[in-house]
Amino acid sequence: MIGQLIRHTKVFSCSSHPSLASSIASSLSCPLVPVNLGTFSNGETKIAPLSSVGHGEHCIVVQSAQTNDQLMETLLTIQACKQVPGTFVSAVLPWLPYTRSDKTEGRNYPIGSRLVCNMLEGAGADHVVTVDLHSPQIEGFFSIPFSHLQTTALLAGELKGRDVVLVSPDAGAMKKVSALSELTGLPFALIHKERCPESGGISRMTLVGDVRDRGAVIVDDMADTCGTILRAAQLLVEQGGAATVEAVLTHGILSGGAVTAIEREDCLTSTCVSNSLSQTSNMNLCRKLSTFDITGLILQELTKFPC
């Protein structure tokens, strides 16, 4: 049962994920307000005045920004909502941009995720909601209420009872895989990944654990080019002897030729990603791609937050 919102609420849909914004608005039984976007002749982003914002309202701004322009749309929309006295703005960013830039790599190296956090606060966000951060330490960059939602329990409900082995494709995903294993009672395996210092590419992958004649499920928080996932699938089948290999990922960025590569890779049976990012066009191109819904996670957080 979805709780009741205290204030009069409106959901503002930015450009990246109108279907998610629509689903949130429908579930909350509140108005959906599309943000009218445009550009100046020099390419700068502009939005039309948000005349529908009322005094003291709860404004939910929904955006999964993958580009700098979409990030700017988000900031301008938040600031426009805050022009009206008494508004409370929840920025729902299932995919938080620049999360891979979470620490300094050397002297004078920028930390992009911290800059994004500062900009969201500067624009006027009162509350930020995101899902499965690539680096949980980013929570510490915010000084406003921040809700970091986890898909672990949701995935556990889908995987429990299946005869599969959970697989962490690298050390970074091990914490999530271990938590899933505890919730489901399923065994897990780890792939140790080494990168070439010069190119940054994967130089070697080693499987630790037994997947022979079993179904293997690769679990990770995100996939961009899918290089790691595809190499892991090949390793699991060709060296590990896995019967089938699936991938379950929270954020399907799927840039470059990732969608085509997934479709063509015989070692990978299927790939399931959340709807944190719109996958409509990708699913039209790839029969192996499906999604799981995180709308319920977001709704639970929005309705329990005392705004």
Side-chain angles (χ1 to χ4, degrees):
M1 177 70 71
I2 301 299
Q4 296 298 312
L5 292 165
I6 299 172
R7 301 186 186 209
H8 188 259
T9 300
K10 290 187 175 77
V11 175
F12 293 84
S13 174
C14 294
S15 66
S16 68
H17 208 336
S19 62
L20 180 62
S22 177
S23 179
I24 291 172
S26 176
S27 298
L28 293 175
S29 300
C30 65
L32 175 66
V33 183
V35 178
N36 294 318
L37 301 162
T39 56
F40 291 101
S41 59
N42 65 349
E44 292 177 353
T45 302
K46 65 178 178 180
I47 67 170
L50 301 180
S51 57
S52 60
V53 180
H55 178 87
E57 289 185 334
H58 181 195
C59 301
I60 300 173
V61 177
V62 181
Q63 177 86 297
S64 278
Q66 290 202 74
T67 67
N68 293 331
D69 284 345
Q70 289 173 344
L71 175 58
M72 197 64 200
E73 291 170 19
T74 310
L75 298 172
L76 290 172
T77 303
I78 292 170
Q79 190 179 61
C81 291
K82 293 298 289 187
Q83 299 300 313
V84 179
T87 53
F88 184 97
V89 178
S90 290
V92 176
L93 311 171
W95 165 252
L96 187 68
Y98 286 89
T99 54
R100 285 173 286 187
S101 176
D102 63 326
K103 59 184 180 295
T104 181
E105 301 290 344
R107 187 178 180 183
N108 300 331
Y109 197 92
I111 304 176
S113 58
R114 183 168 188 170
L115 179 60
V116 169
C117 296
N118 290 342
M119 289 192 293
L120 289 168
E121 291 187 30
D126 297 292
H127 175 212
V128 174
V129 180
T130 193
V131 180
D132 278 358
L133 282 172
H134 187 59
S135 299
Q137 68 200 46
I138 292 172
E139 294 184 52
F141 295 160
F142 283 97
S143 59
I144 59 174
F146 181 78
S147 298
H148 179 200
L149 310 182
Q150 306 277 349
T151 60
T152 308
L154 181 64
L155 294 178
E158 297 296 323
L159 292 170
K160 193 171 185 178
R162 294 186 59 189
D163 183 21
V164 295
V165 178
L166 305 175
V167 179
S168 174
D170 54 32
M174 194 61 223
K175 184 175 181 180
K176 187 177 185 69
V177 170
S178 178
L180 270 175
S181 177
E182 288 184 15
L183 289 172
T184 61
L186 294 172
F188 64 86
L190 167 67
I191 294 176
H192 176 65
K193 181 174 67 176
E194 297 179 19
R195 291 190 178 274
C196 176
E198 291 77 21
S199 66
I202 300 171
S203 60
R204 185 172 66 174
M205 300 181 82
T206 305
L207 175 63
V208 181
D210 184 16
V211 297
R212 187 162 299 278
D213 299 325
R214 303 281 299 276
V217 179
I218 301 170
V219 180
D220 208 349
D221 67 299
M222 58 168 282
D224 190 351
T225 61
C226 285
T228 296
I229 300 300
L230 297 175
R231 286 278 299 271
Q234 293 165 6
L235 178 71
L236 289 165
V237 172
E238 296 170 2
Q239 296 185 31
T244 60
V245 179
E246 308 165 45
V248 178
L249 315 160
T250 304
H251 305 295
I253 302 172
L254 306 181
S255 66
V259 175
T260 301
I262 290 171
E263 180 70 15
R264 292 177 177 175
E265 180 51 64
D266 294 333
C267 292
L268 187 62
T269 307
S270 64
T271 300
C272 186
V273 300
S274 82
N275 62 336
S276 64
L277 297 161
S278 178
Q279 300 295 337
T280 304
S281 59
N282 289 337
M283 290 175 66
N284 289 334
L285 297 173
C286 183
R287 297 168 300 165
K288 294 181 180 180
L289 187 64
S290 61
T291 62
F292 65 92
D293 191 7
I294 58 170
T295 306
L297 277 178
I298 296 170
L299 291 171
Q300 290 173 17
E301 190 65 20
L302 289 173
T303 53
K304 76 181 182 183
F305 196 84
C307 63

Tab-separated table of all heavy atoms in Angstrom, residues 166 177-186:
chain	number	residue	atom	x	y	z
A	166	LEU	N	25.179	-17.286	-8.329
A	166	LEU	CA	25.375	-15.851	-8.500
A	166	LEU	C	26.847	-15.586	-8.791
A	166	LEU	O	27.718	-16.204	-8.186
A	166	LEU	CB	24.947	-15.105	-7.239
A	166	LEU	CG	23.522	-15.367	-6.739
A	166	LEU	CD1	23.293	-14.657	-5.417
A	166	LEU	CD2	22.496	-14.941	-7.771
A	177	VAL	N	26.553	-9.055	-4.491
A	177	VAL	CA	26.371	-10.488	-4.723
A	177	VAL	C	26.334	-11.244	-3.398
A	177	VAL	O	25.516	-12.154	-3.211
A	177	VAL	CB	27.490	-11.033	-5.636
A	177	VAL	CG1	27.460	-12.548	-5.696
A	177	VAL	CG2	27.346	-10.452	-7.043
A	178	SER	N	27.199	-10.872	-2.467
A	178	SER	CA	27.219	-11.514	-1.158
A	178	SER	C	25.900	-11.300	-0.416
A	178	SER	O	25.361	-12.218	0.213
A	178	SER	CB	28.388	-10.971	-0.330
A	178	SER	OG	28.414	-11.546	0.950
A	179	ALA	N	25.360	-10.084	-0.491
A	179	ALA	CA	24.083	-9.786	0.154
A	179	ALA	C	22.951	-10.589	-0.477
A	179	ALA	O	22.063	-11.106	0.224
A	179	ALA	CB	23.781	-8.291	0.068
A	180	LEU	N	22.974	-10.712	-1.799
A	180	LEU	CA	21.967	-11.518	-2.492
A	180	LEU	C	22.067	-12.985	-2.102
A	180	LEU	O	21.052	-13.667	-1.931
A	180	LEU	CB	22.136	-11.383	-4.012
A	180	LEU	CG	21.376	-10.267	-4.714
A	180	LEU	CD1	21.767	-10.209	-6.180
A	180	LEU	CD2	19.869	-10.475	-4.577
A	181	SER	N	23.286	-13.460	-1.953
A	181	SER	CA	23.497	-14.849	-1.565
A	181	SER	C	22.918	-15.112	-0.168
A	181	SER	O	22.293	-16.159	0.064
A	181	SER	CB	24.998	-15.175	-1.578
A	181	SER	OG	25.245	-16.496	-1.149
A	182	GLU	N	23.090	-14.175	0.743
A	182	GLU	CA	22.558	-14.338	2.097
A	182	GLU	C	21.034	-14.368	2.088
A	182	GLU	O	20.412	-15.135	2.829
A	182	GLU	CB	23.050	-13.200	2.992
A	182	GLU	CG	24.529	-13.280	3.356
A	182	GLU	CD	24.948	-12.193	4.318
A	182	GLU	OE1	24.045	-11.562	4.913
A	182	GLU	OE2	26.156	-11.971	4.482
A	183	LEU	N	20.425	-13.531	1.252
A	183	LEU	CA	18.966	-13.449	1.211
A	183	LEU	C	18.324	-14.640	0.504
A	183	LEU	O	17.198	-15.022	0.814
A	183	LEU	CB	18.530	-12.153	0.513
A	183	LEU	CG	18.766	-10.850	1.277
A	183	LEU	CD1	18.478	-9.653	0.385
A	183	LEU	CD2	17.901	-10.801	2.525
A	184	THR	N	19.022	-15.215	-0.461
A	184	THR	CA	18.443	-16.282	-1.289
A	184	THR	C	18.951	-17.675	-0.943
A	184	THR	O	18.327	-18.669	-1.320
A	184	THR	CB	18.740	-16.028	-2.775
A	184	THR	OG1	20.173	-16.018	-2.974
A	184	THR	CG2	18.153	-14.698	-3.225
A	185	GLY	N	20.102	-17.746	-0.257
A	185	GLY	CA	20.707	-19.036	0.015
A	185	GLY	C	21.419	-19.640	-1.186
A	185	GLY	O	21.819	-20.810	-1.157
A	186	LEU	N	21.602	-18.842	-2.236
A	186	LEU	CA	22.256	-19.333	-3.447
A	186	LEU	C	23.775	-19.228	-3.323
A	186	LEU	O	24.295	-18.292	-2.701
A	186	LEU	CB	21.794	-18.526	-4.666
A	186	LEU	CG	20.315	-18.667	-5.046
A	186	LEU	CD1	19.947	-17.666	-6.134
A	186	LEU	CD2	20.001	-20.088	-5.507
